[in-house]
Amino acid sequence: MDRIGGSLYGLAFGDALGKPTEFLTVAEIDEQFGPAGPDDLEGDPALFTDDTQMALAVGWALHDAVDLTPDALEPQLRKRFVAWAHSPENDRAPGMTCLRAVGGLAEGMPWVEATVAGSKGCGANMRVTPVGLIPGLDLDVLAGVSQLQAAMTHGHPTALAASELTAYATRLVVDGCALADVPGKLLARCADQREIYREDWLGALWRSPGATTPADFIARGWDECKAVLEHLVAALARPDDGLDASLATGEGWIAEEALASGLYCAVRHADDPVRSIVRGARTSGDSDSIAAIAGAFVGAAHGLDAWPSDWVDRIEHTDELAALASHLRGNDGN
Ligand SMILES: [Mg+2]
């Protein structure tokens, strides 16, 4: 089963389905798409948004880095983020935090100065799932890579923790963990990582207003993720009301809610990948990011063949998605 391809394409498909619904209420979505929801890609090629563009940037930076160390990876992430910002295709409602931080990166500022320190927008974790697709990657390296790629634009501790959890969830599913078991494993990760500040990756980022120690700084991020994951577990314990996932676990404009709402859609429709991302796209919140994260999880569970084959042909940059999947598959996780 091609779980790596399934996850990368799932991210792109969810993102593309959520593209026209991101700024609509559920009533407006239903009026436009009918009771089935936005259940088919629009256009040929079907366009995705900045979520997938930036996930590709992270994926290629992983590929280009000679080593997955802070010194080797940071310049590759910087190069790919700057190329994304300057691309003529960067016209898909990109997030303000990313544009601002990458502006500083383009000028050569140290990332710790370029980053938007107070931002925990979901822009850092909507792009992180490729990190979870590197076979056998050491979990401390997975943590460092996930947090560094987040920290370069979003400096808030919750952006860092949510980014690691999103990559870790992807990794768990690739390794065969059932989707329903993922929320509990993420809560366990929140507990055992709570005071671990990864200074070798993050340097002096913790020296922000209000933080007294590195452990204090990062604990705030893990605690905010824990709170929303507890909401997720409680919501999943109730029968599915079929309503907007944003009502259960949040609108997803912020990192921890995008993770929780994406995972909510994936777990609710664990046996039906298309339904899972349609559920994510039919939300009042950040629909493209929720559906993209749901798609990355559920695609990792079911593999590439579970997606409609005509979608694989119609999605834009399909050759690039296939090439990145192939490179990630071959990466030994050095
Ligand atoms: Mg987007």
Side-chain angles (χ1 to χ4, degrees):
M1 189 195 303
D2 179 5
R3 293 179 185 270
I4 294 171
S7 181
L8 269 184
Y9 274 93
L11 176 91
F13 294 151
D15 186 17
L17 283 192
K19 180 174 182 286
T21 62
E22 181 179 6
F23 300 110
L24 301 182
T25 64
V26 169
E28 289 166 337
I29 294 168
D30 287 353
E31 200 178 300
Q32 197 169 322
F33 293 91
D39 64 349
D40 198 5
L41 298 184
E42 288 186 346
D44 187 3
L47 305 184
F48 46 64
T49 84
D50 56 325
D51 301 43
T52 306
Q53 291 172 348
M54 294 203 83
L56 284 165
V58 170
W60 289 119
L62 297 171
H63 167 261
D64 294 344
V66 293
D67 230 340
L68 293 185
T69 57
D71 287 349
L73 184 58
E74 190 271 347
Q76 302 300 337
L77 287 166
R78 179 185 293 257
K79 186 179 89 182
R80 293 284 179 174
F81 287 170
V82 171
W84 163 78
H86 293 162
S87 162
E89 291 184 357
N90 179 23
D91 58 359
R92 315 281 170 82
M96 286 311 297
T97 295
C98 286
L99 292 178
R100 207 172 115 196
V102 176
L105 295 175
E107 288 167 16
M109 282 168 74
W111 69 260
V112 76
E113 290 169 28
T115 189
V116 181
S119 178
K120 59 169 184 170
C122 73
N125 59 325
M126 73 190 189
R127 66 184 183 222
V128 77
T129 57
V131 180
L133 300 179
I134 300 173
L137 184 65
D138 176 86
L139 286 185
D140 284 315
V141 179
L142 178 144
V145 169
S146 303
Q147 292 195 31
L148 174 63
Q149 73 78 34
M152 290 176 68
T153 53
H154 297 67
H156 192 288
T158 304
L160 310 181
S163 183
E164 178 180 331
L165 287 169
T166 305
Y168 179 57
T170 308
R171 167 63 175 277
L172 288 170
V173 178
V174 167
D175 285 350
C177 179
L179 285 162
D181 294 337
V182 171
K185 290 190 185 291
L186 298 189
L187 276 168
R189 187 84 182 162
C190 289
D192 70 42
Q193 296 295 304
R194 185 174 183 273
E195 296 194 344
I196 297 178
Y197 179 78
R198 297 187 182 269
E199 187 148 21
D200 46 344
W201 294 87
L202 303 174
L205 179 68
W206 70 272
R207 290 182 188 279
S208 60
T212 51
T213 66
D216 265 3
F217 169 82
I218 200 68
R220 184 173 161 212
W222 289 108
D223 288 349
E224 288 194 352
C225 289
K226 174 173 176 266
V228 76
L229 288 167
E230 285 171 346
H231 279 299
L232 170 66
V233 169
L236 289 170
R238 297 190 289 269
D240 189 1
D241 55 18
L243 299 175
D244 178 1
S246 296
L247 301 173
T249 38
E251 293 188 334
W253 304 107
I254 50 176
E256 71 273 36
E257 290 184 1
L259 166 62
S261 291
L263 190 50
Y264 180 85
C265 296
V267 175
R268 280 299 192 202
H269 307 282
D271 295 325
D272 188 342
V274 170
R275 218 33 248 146
S276 160
I277 58 174
V278 172
R279 185 76 179 265
R282 186 180 172 271
T283 49
S284 54
D286 193 348
S287 308
D288 57 340
S289 300
I290 294 170
I293 290 172
F297 294 159
V298 83
H302 290 272
L304 184 58
D305 291 345
W307 297 114
S309 59
D310 71 301
W311 286 12
V312 175
D313 297 332
R314 280 166 58 203
I315 194 76
E316 67 170 333
H317 298 298
T318 189
D319 291 347
E320 188 183 349
L321 288 163
L324 179 60
S326 162
H327 283 300
L328 288 168
R329 227 176 279 125
N331 192 311
D332 65 5
N334 52 344

